[in-house]
Amino acid sequence: QQWYSNSMKVICMWLTDRLDLQLHIYQLKTLIKIVKKTYRDFRLQGVLEGTLNSKTYDTVHSRLTVEEATVSVTDAGGLQGITMKDSDE
């Protein structure tokens, strides 16, 4: 649980440092993959929902969703099917 929480905090701090900058397409694609894989892996390991869906995760998820929407408007096909929307949803 601590590993997951610390991973999300690091990503959140990195995104906060770049709050006034739009992410490059490759940064966005990589972060989406990292966040989704981390979330899924720790969910499979039995980490509690309260820990998985923390305020930090919500902040990261919201930022990546906004960045994804921006890219989809400005760069058609830029993400090539990579999205924050979970396949389970």
Side-chain angles (χ1 to χ4, degrees):
Q1 290 177 350
Q2 187 176 12
W3 188 10
Y4 173 81
S5 295
N6 288 339
S7 298
M8 286 300 137
K9 285 178 188 174
V10 167
I11 293 170
C12 188
M13 287 186 330
W14 190 85
L15 287 170
T16 302
D17 290 345
R18 289 149 185 82
L19 196 56
D20 57 339
L21 302 171
Q22 183 178 350
L23 297 178
H24 188 275
I25 187 76
Y26 297 111
Q27 290 173 322
L28 181 58
K29 287 167 71 173
T30 302
L31 283 171
I32 288 173
K33 287 180 182 180
I34 289 170
V35 169
K36 286 178 70 173
K37 177 131 178 68
T38 302
Y39 184 92
R40 285 184 186 142
D41 287 353
F42 280 90
R43 183 178 63 194
L44 288 173
Q45 293 297 324
V47 174
L48 300 174
E49 288 293 319
T51 303
L52 288 173
N53 297 317
S54 65
K55 184 168 175 58
T56 305
Y57 172 76
D58 289 341
T59 302
V60 169
H61 189 277
S62 295
R63 170 72 187 273
L64 294 179
T65 302
V66 168
E67 291 284 344
E68 177 187 338
T70 302
V71 167
S72 69
V73 169
T74 59
D75 185 10
L79 288 176
Q80 300 168 342
I82 298 171
T83 177
M84 279 304 293
K85 185 171 173 70
D86 197 2
S87 59
D88 296 341
E89 294 177 357

